[in-house]
Amino acid sequence: MESLEPNSIKVNHIDPFDDQKPGTSGLRKSTKQFEEPNYLESFIEAVFRTLPGVKGGTLVVGGDGRYGNRRAIDVILGMAAAHGLSKVITTVDGILSTPAASNLIRKRKAIGGIILSASHNSGGLHGDFGVKINAANGGPASESLTNAIYNCTKTLDRYIKIDHSQISLDSIGQYSIGDMEVMVIDGVDEYLSLMQKIFDFDQISSFISNEFPIAFDALNAVTGPYAKRLLEGLLAAPLGTVRNGVPLEDFGGCHPDPNLTYANELADLLLKGDHYAFGAACDGDGDRNMILGRGCFINPSDSLAILAANSHLVPAYQNGLSGVARSMPTSGAVDVVAKQLGIPSYETPTGWKFFGNLLDAGKITLCGEESFGTGSNHVREKDGLWAVLFWLQILAGNQITVAELVKKHWSRFGRHYYSRHDYESISSEVAHNLYDRLIKILPTLEGQLFAGQKVTKADNFSYIDPIDSSVTDKQGLRILLEDRSRVILRLSGTGTKGATLRVYLESYVSSNGDLNQDPQIALRKYILDIDSLAEISQRTCMNSPTVIT
Ligand code: VG1
Ligand code: CO
């Protein structure tokens, strides 16, 4: 029997953020932490008390299929009914990628969405779980909404829910909990229709059928069902094109992070083997992408620049781009393209939420981050499979291989040698001491030599939103050099174990310079100098980074 009266459950004071400000994408913690009694509930309560429009509103809920996904949907349904939502739209098996969720929120005029994912972090009982909150524009919650949710968690002492019988996510259906309607829809359909509006599928399909074999690795995460229907279905790529295509609760033990370290099986196929002409992988929740060609890896900063330079080949962008944006640590490659196209280029802090206002105001069409994130105004999230289709479309339009397209790009625009060095799971104390010390010495660097170049600016990046004038400061330590090279340091906001230090290295070579070096060699002097300046290896006791991109 359904009880229609909400139950009010008292909780001891819970601080889901452990006194830490939320990271770049909602709440992300170990799965075990989320299994603690009332932990998930307390956070969801804070969300429902804070998100505008809850009473009578529609909410989109789904996730990347990791362990905890179904239970979380069940909890959210009961709490949503108690808080007076009129409708929750969720999906078969609870499977909903982040970009598909963004699309649904926009199309169904929802007040927002809750995406159950810790993105590229590993999953399962011994991995991580996460809750991403998206707003009515389909994008990640703004700084002010995130802060309001965070402040609410600090005083919370009870939550409400309606006890209900379990709702089946096994197939499409319609249910009710009290006065609230629950729709279980297919989470893939509407996303596919959106892609068909953006790209010319016939052109891509005939290109890949003509001796251009492709491989896609879903890393046992959310993009499997989407990629199978897109690539093996609509584009008629051979069965087997999609690898690891069934979402598993623990991602089969994989770390669903599409980079050369964690997607190494695919990387080996493309970089060591010579059968495939194109390879791609997405992360846990489907918003990131890695692009590979035969024998070549595309740096995500270059990827954004190459997409921008060739965007006229995609039907949805054939009339030009209004502008582009990149996160601060992303290389300036896209800026060079924007200059030639005569369009503005914006620099934002790390995190997709900072692109939201620019996209909503029509100031930009494409945007991206060095962390394998690329997207456009079609949704308000980065979009992994969209990027894969974009690449295939511009390769088809140019009738060219990946390696040839990249070479052509560099010989036209010059090359930004770029690398990111991650030092993962270091002790928080060591990381913060290192970082705070560097903040103190930054002002003394200006005018001094670093890696043989004069430092023109050394600061902690601060951003003024061009649309609402909000200020976001302390977004990363920058050392800018007179030849446009940059070295940047940040502490990650998405890790769950200790701290992760990210070092971003960039140096520009014009089109008549040496375009064919190994980035680690081209960037060697910056790598050595930042190590001694910031005392990285000395303080972390690590001889090398855990991940090099
Ligand atoms: C990382 C990336 C950042 C990205 C964020 C969320 O953050 O660097 O560019 O926006 O993850 O990505 P950090 O703070 O760890 O560097 V994901 O795929 O959650 O949605
Ligand atoms: Co992600």
Side-chain angles (χ1 to χ4, degrees):
M1 279 297 287
E2 308 244 300
S3 134
L4 302 185
E5 281 306 303
N7 283 330
S8 177
I9 287 103
K10 187 154 173 49
V11 290
N12 292 329
H13 171 68
I14 292 185
D15 183 353
F17 293 118
D18 301 335
D19 282 333
Q20 266 170 20
K21 278 264 195 149
T24 40
S25 283
L27 180 63
R28 223 173 264 198
K29 293 282 172 187
S30 67
T31 303
K32 294 231 164 83
Q33 173 75 74
F34 271 97
E35 301 248 289
E36 292 288 316
N38 303 331
Y39 184 78
L40 171 71
E41 288 84 347
S42 298
F43 182 65
I44 299 298
E45 177 69 23
V47 171
F48 284 146
R49 286 192 194 184
T50 315
L51 196 66
V54 163
K55 280 243 171 329
T58 296
L59 184 78
V60 170
V61 181
D64 64 10
R66 72 180 65 213
Y67 178 88
N69 198 24
R70 279 172 183 263
R71 179 182 83 90
I73 292 174
D74 199 55
V75 165
I76 292 166
L77 287 175
M79 292 184 64
H83 279 273
L85 275 121
S86 72
K87 192 196 279 183
V88 171
I89 300 171
T90 186
T91 54
V92 174
D93 296 330
I95 289 293
L96 186 62
S97 77
T98 291
S102 183
N103 180 47
L104 270 186
I105 294 166
R106 295 166 68 76
K107 288 280 146 61
R108 306 289 183 116
K109 308 225 175 328
I111 59 159
I114 301 181
I115 303 167
L116 303 160
S117 173
S119 189
H120 53 287
N121 295 20
S122 57
L125 208 47
H126 304 288
D128 291 333
F129 191 74
V131 181
K132 293 191 184 195
I133 306 302
N134 282 37
N137 74 342
S142 62
E143 280 275 279
S144 61
L145 178 58
T146 312
N147 287 338
I149 296 170
Y150 166 65
N151 288 330
C152 182
T153 62
K154 292 206 254 182
T155 53
L156 207 73
D157 64 355
R158 48 183 64 241
Y159 70 89
I160 53 172
K161 63 166 184 175
I162 287 183
D163 291 322
H164 61 98
S165 44
Q166 184 114 23
I167 281 176
S168 167
L169 300 180
D170 293 344
S171 56
I172 290 169
Q174 214 155 340
Y175 307 87
S176 60
I177 300 174
D179 293 335
M180 188 183 82
E181 185 189 345
V182 179
M183 282 175 73
V184 182
I185 65 167
D186 180 289
V188 181
D189 285 344
E190 291 179 37
Y191 179 80
L192 298 191
S193 318
L194 177 65
M195 293 302 112
Q196 285 176 298
K197 284 192 198 117
I198 298 174
F199 299 103
D200 175 350
F201 274 53
D202 291 339
Q203 190 198 34
I204 299 176
S205 183
S206 73
F207 180 67
I208 60 176
S209 68
N210 192 12
E211 289 173 40
F212 199 83
I214 65 172
F216 177 83
D217 197 335
L219 300 171
N220 304 307
V222 81
T223 50
Y226 294 83
K228 276 192 195 156
R229 283 175 61 187
L230 265 176
L231 305 177
E232 296 176 5
L234 295 169
L235 293 171
L239 290 182
T241 296
V242 176
R243 315 166 77 86
N244 302 311
V246 178
L248 301 175
E249 286 203 325
D250 64 350
F251 305 126
C254 295
H255 196 134
D257 195 352
N259 60 32
L260 294 174
T261 306
Y262 297 122
N264 58 324
E265 248 178 62
L266 181 81
D268 285 352
L269 276 184
L270 272 291
L271 303 180
K272 294 186 182 154
D274 73 351
H275 176 67
Y276 290 104
F278 178 88
C282 289
D283 73 332
D285 61 330
D287 56 359
R288 297 185 177 205
N289 72 91
M290 174 173 72
I291 303 292
L292 300 158
R294 188 177 282 127
C296 88
F297 160 76
I298 305 299
N299 184 285
S301 296
D302 281 344
S303 178
L304 175 63
I306 292 167
L307 298 191
N310 292 277
S311 53
H312 56 281
L313 297 170
V314 177
Y317 313 110
Q318 64 190 1
N319 296 329
L321 309 173
S322 62
V324 292
R326 60 168 174 84
S327 68
M328 182 273 282
T330 304
S331 94
V334 75
D335 301 354
V336 180
V337 175
K339 206 167 170 196
Q340 284 219 13
L341 294 176
I343 55 170
S345 164
Y346 298 86
E347 182 179 46
T348 59
T350 293
W352 209 260
K353 62 186 166 205
F354 295 103
F355 295 131
N357 277 349
L358 292 166
L359 288 164
D360 287 348
K363 299 272 185 210
I364 57 169
T365 311
L366 296 188
C367 46
E369 297 190 274
E370 48 62 43
S371 53
F372 298 89
T374 347
S376 88
N377 58 357
H378 69 291
V379 287
R380 294 293 180 272
E381 286 279 4
K382 49 190 184 269
D383 189 343
L385 281 165
W386 165 92
V388 173
L389 295 174
F390 203 133
W391 262 93
L392 291 173
Q393 187 93 74
I394 65 178
L395 293 168
N398 282 297
Q399 293 288 315
I400 206 172
T401 68
V402 177
E404 284 162 356
L405 184 59
V406 179
K407 287 240 157 92
K408 208 173 125 189
H409 186 90
W410 291 337
S411 62
R412 183 168 162 208
F413 297 101
R415 178 173 182 184
H416 286 76
Y417 282 104
Y418 188 84
S419 186
R420 183 174 108 180
H421 289 192
D422 294 332
Y423 297 81
E424 297 173 312
S425 305
I426 51 183
S427 103
S428 284
E429 198 192 334
V430 167
H432 286 280
N433 286 343
L434 182 158
Y435 203 74
D436 294 344
R437 175 180 159 273
L438 196 58
I439 290 175
K440 283 205 195 92
I441 56 180
L442 275 183
T444 67
L445 294 177
E446 284 186 21
Q448 301 294 311
L449 285 184
F450 180 91
Q453 291 282 327
K454 205 157 155 197
V455 177
T456 52
K457 194 172 198 164
D459 68 356
N460 199 340
F461 181 64
S462 165
Y463 177 66
I464 305 174
D465 187 294
I467 310 299
D468 65 15
S469 303
S470 57
V471 177
T472 310
D473 59 7
K474 303 192 183 111
Q475 293 299 304
L477 311 184
R478 311 189 290 177
I479 301 172
L480 312 183
L481 307 178
E482 60 185 336
D483 70 344
R484 293 163 66 178
S485 304
R486 302 190 300 163
V487 176
I488 294 152
L489 269 84
R490 275 183 70 249
L491 293 178
S492 156
T494 61
T496 54
K497 285 175 208 80
T500 293
L501 173 70
R502 306 202 195 283
V503 182
Y504 309 81
L505 307 134
E506 170 184 352
S507 175
Y508 178 67
V509 172
S510 70
S511 54
N512 39 31
D514 181 356
L515 301 172
N516 296 310
Q517 291 181 63
D518 175 335
Q520 302 310 319
I521 293 170
L523 297 166
R524 198 173 151 74
K525 57 183 183 197
Y526 308 98
I527 296 170
L528 294 176
D529 273 25
I530 193 61
D531 187 49
S532 63
L533 179 74
E535 301 179 348
I536 300 171
S537 42
Q538 184 193 326
R539 285 168 179 264
T540 61
C541 301
M542 290 162 88
N543 294 327
S544 58
T546 40
V547 178
I548 293 181
T549 300

